[in-house]
Amino acid sequence: MIAVVVVRDGLLPAGGAEAVAECEGRAVLIGSQASVAAEALHGIATQLTLIERDTFLPGAIADELAALLANEPIVVLPASPDGRDLAPRLAAALQRQLLAGATAVTADRVDLVRNSGRELHRVVPDNRFIATLHPGARGVVPDSMLPAPAIKTAKSSTSKVVDADVIAVHPPDPATVDLAEAARIVSGGAGLDGPDRMRQLAEIALQLGASVGATRVVTDRGWAPHERQIGTTGVAVSPHLYMAFGIAGAVQHTSGLGDPAHIVSVNTDPHCPMMQLADLAIVSDANETLDALQALLS
Amino acid sequence: MSDPDVIVVGGGPAGSCAAIVAARAGLSVVLLERGPFPGSKNMYGGVVYPRILDDLIPNWWEEAPIQRWVTRRATMLLTETQALTVDFRTEAWGKAPYNGATAYRPDFDAWLAGYAEAAGAQVLTSTTVTGLLRDDKGAVVGVTTDRPDGDLRARVVIACDGVNSFLAKEAGLYEHTDAKHFTLGVKETLALPKEVIDERFGVRGREGVDIEIVGCTGGINGGGFVYTNLDTVAVGVVLKLTKLAAQATRPEQIIANLKGHPAIAPLIEGGEMKEYSAHLIPEAGLRMMPKMTTDGMMVAGDAAALCLAAGIWLEGVNFAMASGMYAGETAVEAVRVNDVSAKGLVGYQRRLSNTFVLKDHRKLRRAPELVLSDRVQHLYPQMMANIAERMFRVDNPEPKPGLRRILRQERKRAGVRRRHLWRDAFTGFRSYG
Amino acid sequence: MSNRIVVCLKWVLQAGEPDDARFAGVSPADHAALELALQWAERTGGQLTAITVGPPQAETALRDAIACGASNAVRIDAPLSTNSADVAAAIASAAHDAKWVWCGDYSMDNGSGSVPAFLAAALSASQALGVTNVTFDDSGITATRRVDGGRREVLAVHAPVVISVEGATARLRRASLTALRASTTAPVDVVVPIVAMRTSQHTIQPYRPRARALAMPSGANVLDRVRSLTTTGTAVATHHEVETLAPAAAAARIVDALRDWGYL
Ligand SMILES: Cc1cc2nc3c(=O)[nH]c(=O)nc-3n(C[C@H](O)[C@H](O)[C@H](O)COP(=O)(O)OP(=O)(O)OC[C@H]3O[C@@H](n4cnc5c(N)ncnc54)[C@H](O)[C@@H]3O)c2cc1C
Ligand SMILES: Cc1cc2nc3c(=O)[nH]c(=O)nc-3n(C[C@H](O)[C@H](O)[C@H](O)COP(=O)(O)OP(=O)(O)OC[C@H]3O[C@@H](n4cnc5c(N)ncnc54)[C@H](O)[C@@H]3O)c2cc1C
Ligand SMILES: Nc1ncnc2c1ncn2[C@@H]1O[C@H](COP(=O)(O)O)[C@@H](O)[C@H]1O
């Protein structure tokens, strides 16, 4: 088994280290400043091949890597945006089965998360396959006793495969940050008593430097536009702070929540899942609490 | 695309039956339904009596998506601590041609609409009718919808848009509508394993139970019901709107009280709530019915207040299906003779009058008022239950009292005047007898 | 040069209603793809073909697309749980001359987001996947897509290309009544796939997270350690207390907590 991890500016993607660990330390790192990223894999990687490349072009990279990976029966990529971009192209170039979105990968069994996180599909794979591994699914603890990995470098070759032209890569910009990237989100659910509450929520969010999110019930009612919907059929977010007002916490909603450091939930039902998830769970009327909060903050 | 002969508004039982009849007779029909599929948002208590379908869909019972066949009907009088039940069961209703069945409306309505589509009607969903198109003489010539380029013209419009029909109102068919003519039905659907339901309700296989209840709605006039589906039980109450508004009680609370009643609680214990829904019922029958036709348009089903809500009966679907069929037949007739004016559509009123649709309503015209009256609601259940309690109680060493004495004493204790009792008995007899 | 535009729509049964076509439909992402494909077709004067791989009931998705303005529709006859590479191969063979292919980023059931990439490979096209924003101009399309770490990659895409978009990128227009009526009888081409389609073989079980390897928790007290171990993605946090407060007190408590945590 070998991991393929796309590196940008020396940074590993979410789930990169886990993919390397899943392959017992063997990996190809490809991208810009791959050697910097290699250092972050101390205690995890055993054998690394580094390919320095300044742009990420999925078609060309798949073409390039095909020769290198031809004798590797199992290739694992993190299911990060770049990994998901590349993995099917690799599978196509190598003519192999793709098993996307795994929680565990072994030679004779792959577990795949399916149906919005409700089901686990257990697959007996072909002899040779490509898999992507869900970030966060396995976790990884660096072993400080592990010797530094053996590092090879390979040259990036040229490919005739055409890709789109990369015009720019924008860093995360706090000013134009949208819901998906917001570090703080204030969110409303069916416990709110009307569309005006969403406007109130927006004002409170402004005070807190946060974006506004909503559940599907709220967007279905037209109280908030669809792009504000968090969850499986909306936007996937990953804030540090998540504040839920009148939200039950259905799995379709929370599966899009990422992994906030702090969750606040105000709900009249102490037993709903959102209250179980919250760091600060307050049983109270969400609407009146919003009134009070707005008064306090302004 | 050319304009259709008939537009049917609403894909409930009335609308689908109208569309089936008109389309089978060769008219071009467009049925407009606001939900994502016919029946998607429709609710009711839970029992249909589809006898009227015998001709339209022969052997419907082999096809219809039913939950259970009702083989047991009970009427319950409840007081806070007592229950008096009349319980009837028959094997006959458990075999073809069957009598009544519990069914889910999203299943039943979608099934019925399938016949309309099969007959050639164009069923267009997620399309809400927003108004009527009229010619310069005021005759209805089509409808407007919420879609772009959404006007549609037709020879005849059949409004089957359900209770509180804004199309019938816009056409001026209702002289006045009054909140006191409506009740609010609310219902919870509780999931329980089929075997548990079978055991608790004493039924097997596809057999099911229909329980109507009086005296379970606190200070608010109304009634309740419990119906069995395959693996859910529907528990609901029907509440007089004006009383509900006057008292600040929430309907959920009234259902909760009913569910907690010692006679009901053991039936539904452990049931997990799957759905909570609410809907208006046109309760006042003849008293509130609109004019059924105007130039270019007919009204059917709940839109025409044809639901029969009279105590031990809560039947709307069969009335809707029948009136829809008759409206469909009338449309066919009118288009053939090329007269879709109110005059050309008189056959509709005639059909309604000559069949159970209006005959039942005429017969039972005083029933809704009687059933919702304060005496029937608040005094009689207590009186009847007390009478039963005393008859069945053993007061030894006292000898058993005579029935007549119990009756008199309990009538007085309940505060019922003899005159009223006689009058109500007479109304009841004239209505139900 | 052909200017064929294709939108790939997957007709999906709703989880929990696996046998019931009434609750089936197309994802918001596919709807967004359809809207953008329509806009692109209008702008370039191209013809838009809607394609689905699925059973006969899936034709409702195609008819809806026709009602919204697609010129024609193709259904490739196959069961739903078909291997993504095969789905892409089948679409590619039905649309080998396609220049602009629009997809949703994920399908709602088995969503792996891989059909669009396989399709790009099969069509020798470039790809722009997981796109959050597109702008049209005369030379082509500029697409912004999400990449790791909240960064955004801006791509200039040229035909042939496969673009997969997130659900919030565009909202599908409503079909006009006339178009809706016409779509109920519009023809749908049915194609039998040339190669045998594999359906995936697997056993299904309820999702349970895998045991995670975690570093020794750091933190001053037990509470913090537990907190560092439990996150929303894995287990339910058990460390917190539920407080019942009047609204004013609740607001004050929230402000305190936000201060403690350093947000205020
Ligand atoms: C295929 C599919 C995809 C879905 N995708 C998504 C998705 O992407 N995103 C999403 O959000 N949902 C999604 N859903 C819907 C999801 O299952 C839930 O229905 C939804 O998240 C519930 O939203 P809610 O918490 O706002 O509403 P509810 O479940 O109605 O909860 C409202 C909450 O408010 C509380 N409350 C009520 N009154 C008050 C008050 N006065 N003060 C405080 N609290 C109060 C209640 O106790 C309750 O906990 C999807 C569902 C399906 C089937
Ligand atoms: C709580 C409750 C319990 C009941 N119990 C029973 C019972 O056990 N047995 C029984 O037989 N009856 C019962 N009824 C009565 C029964 O539900 C109605 O009488 C019956 O549904 C009437 O059928 P309909 O076709 O006239 O109207 P509906 O079933 O109301 O159908 C109207 C249709 O029109 C559509 N529509 C409405 N407006 C528009 C518009 N503007 N544009 C497009 N479409 C529109 C709606 O979406 C709907 O599909 C009960 C009712 C309630 C509320
Ligand atoms: N069976 C299918 N028919 C048509 N398009 C499909 C099909 N499966 C996937 N797609 C397209 O590929 C996108 C991503 O799906 P998936 O790769 O299954 O997550 C969907 O949003 C569709 O646009």
Side-chain angles (χ1 to χ4, degrees), chain C residues 155-166:
Chain C
L155 301 174
V157 299
H158 308 287
V161 64
V162 178
I163 303 174
S164 84
V165 299
E166 289 191 359

mmCIF file with all atom_site columns, all heavy atoms in Angstrom, chain C residues 155-166:
data_model
loop_
_atom_site.group_PDB
_atom_site.id
_atom_site.type_symbol
_atom_site.label_atom_id
_atom_site.label_alt_id
_atom_site.label_comp_id
_atom_site.label_asym_id
_atom_site.label_entity_id
_atom_site.label_seq_id
_atom_site.pdbx_PDB_ins_code
_atom_site.Cartn_x
_atom_site.Cartn_y
_atom_site.Cartn_z
_atom_site.occupancy
_atom_site.B_iso_or_equiv
_atom_site.pdbx_formal_charge
_atom_site.auth_seq_id
_atom_site.auth_comp_id
_atom_site.auth_asym_id
_atom_site.auth_atom_id
_atom_site.pdbx_PDB_model_num
ATOM 1  N N   . LEU C 1 155 ? -9.847  28.774 -11.900 1.00 0.00 ? 155 LEU C N   1
ATOM 2  C CA  . LEU C 1 155 ? -9.443  28.079 -13.114 1.00 0.00 ? 155 LEU C CA  1
ATOM 3  C C   . LEU C 1 155 ? -10.069 28.741 -14.335 1.00 0.00 ? 155 LEU C C   1
ATOM 4  O O   . LEU C 1 155 ? -11.220 29.161 -14.300 1.00 0.00 ? 155 LEU C O   1
ATOM 5  C CB  . LEU C 1 155 ? -9.925  26.622 -13.088 1.00 0.00 ? 155 LEU C CB  1
ATOM 6  C CG  . LEU C 1 155 ? -9.443  25.730 -11.943 1.00 0.00 ? 155 LEU C CG  1
ATOM 7  C CD1 . LEU C 1 155 ? -10.147 24.379 -11.996 1.00 0.00 ? 155 LEU C CD1 1
ATOM 8  C CD2 . LEU C 1 155 ? -7.929  25.544 -12.035 1.00 0.00 ? 155 LEU C CD2 1
ATOM 9  N N   . ALA C 1 156 ? -9.256  28.824 -15.401 1.00 0.00 ? 156 ALA C N   1
ATOM 10 C CA  . ALA C 1 156 ? -9.838  29.199 -16.689 1.00 0.00 ? 156 ALA C CA  1
ATOM 11 C C   . ALA C 1 156 ? -10.070 27.890 -17.421 1.00 0.00 ? 156 ALA C C   1
ATOM 12 O O   . ALA C 1 156 ? -9.134  27.123 -17.617 1.00 0.00 ? 156 ALA C O   1
ATOM 13 C CB  . ALA C 1 156 ? -8.872  30.070 -17.469 1.00 0.00 ? 156 ALA C CB  1
ATOM 14 N N   . VAL C 1 157 ? -11.295 27.620 -17.766 1.00 0.00 ? 157 VAL C N   1
ATOM 15 C CA  . VAL C 1 157 ? -11.556 26.313 -18.393 1.00 0.00 ? 157 VAL C CA  1
ATOM 16 C C   . VAL C 1 157 ? -11.918 26.509 -19.860 1.00 0.00 ? 157 VAL C C   1
ATOM 17 O O   . VAL C 1 157 ? -12.556 27.477 -20.251 1.00 0.00 ? 157 VAL C O   1
ATOM 18 C CB  . VAL C 1 157 ? -12.661 25.538 -17.659 1.00 0.00 ? 157 VAL C CB  1
ATOM 19 C CG1 . VAL C 1 157 ? -12.263 25.264 -16.236 1.00 0.00 ? 157 VAL C CG1 1
ATOM 20 C CG2 . VAL C 1 157 ? -13.979 26.267 -17.694 1.00 0.00 ? 157 VAL C CG2 1
ATOM 21 N N   . HIS C 1 158 ? -11.443 25.585 -20.651 1.00 0.00 ? 158 HIS C N   1
ATOM 22 C CA  . HIS C 1 158 ? -11.720 25.620 -22.091 1.00 0.00 ? 158 HIS C CA  1
ATOM 23 C C   . HIS C 1 158 ? -12.243 24.255 -22.492 1.00 0.00 ? 158 HIS C C   1
ATOM 24 O O   . HIS C 1 158 ? -11.870 23.258 -21.902 1.00 0.00 ? 158 HIS C O   1
ATOM 25 C CB  . HIS C 1 158 ? -10.434 25.937 -22.855 1.00 0.00 ? 158 HIS C CB  1
ATOM 26 C CG  . HIS C 1 158 ? -9.749  27.159 -22.341 1.00 0.00 ? 158 HIS C CG  1
ATOM 27 N ND1 . HIS C 1 158 ? -10.242 28.424 -22.569 1.00 0.00 ? 158 HIS C ND1 1
ATOM 28 C CD2 . HIS C 1 158 ? -8.641  27.314 -21.567 1.00 0.00 ? 158 HIS C CD2 1
ATOM 29 C CE1 . HIS C 1 158 ? -9.458  29.299 -21.983 1.00 0.00 ? 158 HIS C CE1 1
ATOM 30 N NE2 . HIS C 1 158 ? -8.487  28.659 -21.351 1.00 0.00 ? 158 HIS C NE2 1
ATOM 31 N N   . ALA C 1 159 ? -13.041 24.241 -23.533 1.00 0.00 ? 159 ALA C N   1
ATOM 32 C CA  . ALA C 1 159 ? -13.621 22.981 -23.977 1.00 0.00 ? 159 ALA C CA  1
ATOM 33 C C   . ALA C 1 159 ? -12.523 22.074 -24.537 1.00 0.00 ? 159 ALA C C   1
ATOM 34 O O   . ALA C 1 159 ? -11.549 22.590 -25.094 1.00 0.00 ? 159 ALA C O   1
ATOM 35 C CB  . ALA C 1 159 ? -14.660 23.261 -25.053 1.00 0.00 ? 159 ALA C CB  1
ATOM 36 N N   . PRO C 1 160 ? -12.651 20.768 -24.434 1.00 0.00 ? 160 PRO C N   1
ATOM 37 C CA  . PRO C 1 160 ? -13.709 20.079 -23.693 1.00 0.00 ? 160 PRO C CA  1
ATOM 38 C C   . PRO C 1 160 ? -13.417 20.056 -22.192 1.00 0.00 ? 160 PRO C C   1
ATOM 39 O O   . PRO C 1 160 ? -12.268 19.899 -21.810 1.00 0.00 ? 160 PRO C O   1
ATOM 40 C CB  . PRO C 1 160 ? -13.658 18.663 -24.273 1.00 0.00 ? 160 PRO C CB  1
ATOM 41 C CG  . PRO C 1 160 ? -12.229 18.477 -24.679 1.00 0.00 ? 160 PRO C CG  1
ATOM 42 C CD  . PRO C 1 160 ? -11.728 19.823 -25.106 1.00 0.00 ? 160 PRO C CD  1
ATOM 43 N N   . VAL C 1 161 ? -14.467 20.189 -21.397 1.00 0.00 ? 161 VAL C N   1
ATOM 44 C CA  . VAL C 1 161 ? -14.260 20.241 -19.955 1.00 0.00 ? 161 VAL C CA  1
ATOM 45 C C   . VAL C 1 161 ? -15.461 19.628 -19.226 1.00 0.00 ? 161 VAL C C   1
ATOM 46 O O   . VAL C 1 161 ? -16.588 19.661 -19.744 1.00 0.00 ? 161 VAL C O   1
ATOM 47 C CB  . VAL C 1 161 ? -14.043 21.704 -19.489 1.00 0.00 ? 161 VAL C CB  1
ATOM 48 C CG1 . VAL C 1 161 ? -15.286 22.546 -19.730 1.00 0.00 ? 161 VAL C CG1 1
ATOM 49 C CG2 . VAL C 1 161 ? -13.657 21.771 -18.006 1.00 0.00 ? 161 VAL C CG2 1
ATOM 50 N N   . VAL C 1 162 ? -15.193 19.066 -18.069 1.00 0.00 ? 162 VAL C N   1
ATOM 51 C CA  . VAL C 1 162 ? -16.262 18.618 -17.180 1.00 0.00 ? 162 VAL C CA  1
ATOM 52 C C   . VAL C 1 162 ? -16.226 19.506 -15.945 1.00 0.00 ? 162 VAL C C   1
ATOM 53 O O   . VAL C 1 162 ? -15.174 19.649 -15.319 1.00 0.00 ? 162 VAL C O   1
ATOM 54 C CB  . VAL C 1 162 ? -16.075 17.141 -16.763 1.00 0.00 ? 162 VAL C CB  1
ATOM 55 C CG1 . VAL C 1 162 ? -17.186 16.724 -15.795 1.00 0.00 ? 162 VAL C CG1 1
ATOM 56 C CG2 . VAL C 1 162 ? -16.041 16.239 -17.979 1.00 0.00 ? 162 VAL C CG2 1
ATOM 57 N N   . ILE C 1 163 ? -17.344 20.134 -15.640 1.00 0.00 ? 163 ILE C N   1
ATOM 58 C CA  . ILE C 1 163 ? -17.415 21.025 -14.488 1.00 0.00 ? 163 ILE C CA  1
ATOM 59 C C   . ILE C 1 163 ? -18.413 20.437 -13.499 1.00 0.00 ? 163 ILE C C   1
ATOM 60 O O   . ILE C 1 163 ? -19.553 20.143 -13.872 1.00 0.00 ? 163 ILE C O   1
ATOM 61 C CB  . ILE C 1 163 ? -17.885 22.437 -14.922 1.00 0.00 ? 163 ILE C CB  1
ATOM 62 C CG1 . ILE C 1 163 ? -16.947 22.985 -16.001 1.00 0.00 ? 163 ILE C CG1 1
ATOM 63 C CG2 . ILE C 1 163 ? -17.965 23.372 -13.723 1.00 0.00 ? 163 ILE C CG2 1
ATOM 64 C CD1 . ILE C 1 163 ? -17.406 24.310 -16.593 1.00 0.00 ? 163 ILE C CD1 1
ATOM 65 N N   . SER C 1 164 ? -17.990 20.229 -12.257 1.00 0.00 ? 164 SER C N   1
ATOM 66 C CA  . SER C 1 164 ? -18.971 19.788 -11.260 1.00 0.00 ? 164 SER C CA  1
ATOM 67 C C   . SER C 1 164 ? -19.148 20.891 -10.229 1.00 0.00 ? 164 SER C C   1
ATOM 68 O O   . SER C 1 164 ? -18.175 21.492 -9.777  1.00 0.00 ? 164 SER C O   1
ATOM 69 C CB  . SER C 1 164 ? -18.548 18.467 -10.602 1.00 0.00 ? 164 SER C CB  1
ATOM 70 O OG  . SER C 1 164 ? -17.649 18.676 -9.547  1.00 0.00 ? 164 SER C OG  1
ATOM 71 N N   . VAL C 1 165 ? -20.410 21.184 -9.916  1.00 0.00 ? 165 VAL C N   1
ATOM 72 C CA  . VAL C 1 165 ? -20.702 22.366 -9.096  1.00 0.00 ? 165 VAL C CA  1
ATOM 73 C C   . VAL C 1 165 ? -21.409 21.998 -7.802  1.00 0.00 ? 165 VAL C C   1
ATOM 74 O O   . VAL C 1 165 ? -22.134 21.010 -7.726  1.00 0.00 ? 165 VAL C O   1
ATOM 75 C CB  . VAL C 1 165 ? -21.577 23.383 -9.879  1.00 0.00 ? 165 VAL C CB  1
ATOM 76 C CG1 . VAL C 1 165 ? -20.855 23.851 -11.125 1.00 0.00 ? 165 VAL C CG1 1
ATOM 77 C CG2 . VAL C 1 165 ? -22.930 22.779 -10.235 1.00 0.00 ? 165 VAL C CG2 1
ATOM 78 N N   . GLU C 1 166 ? -21.189 22.819 -6.788  1.00 0.00 ? 166 GLU C N   1
ATOM 79 C CA  . GLU C 1 166 ? -21.901 22.636 -5.528  1.00 0.00 ? 166 GLU C CA  1
ATOM 80 C C   . GLU C 1 166 ? -23.339 23.137 -5.657  1.00 0.00 ? 166 GLU C C   1
ATOM 81 O O   . GLU C 1 166 ? -23.653 23.958 -6.519  1.00 0.00 ? 166 GLU C O   1
ATOM 82 C CB  . GLU C 1 166 ? -21.188 23.424 -4.416  1.00 0.00 ? 166 GLU C CB  1
ATOM 83 C CG  . GLU C 1 166 ? -19.871 22.802 -4.028  1.00 0.00 ? 166 GLU C CG  1
ATOM 84 C CD  . GLU C 1 166 ? -19.295 23.418 -2.762  1.00 0.00 ? 166 GLU C CD  1
ATOM 85 O OE1 . GLU C 1 166 ? -19.912 24.342 -2.195  1.00 0.00 ? 166 GLU C OE1 1
ATOM 86 O OE2 . GLU C 1 166 ? -18.213 22.963 -2.349  1.00 0.00 ? 166 GLU C OE2 1
#
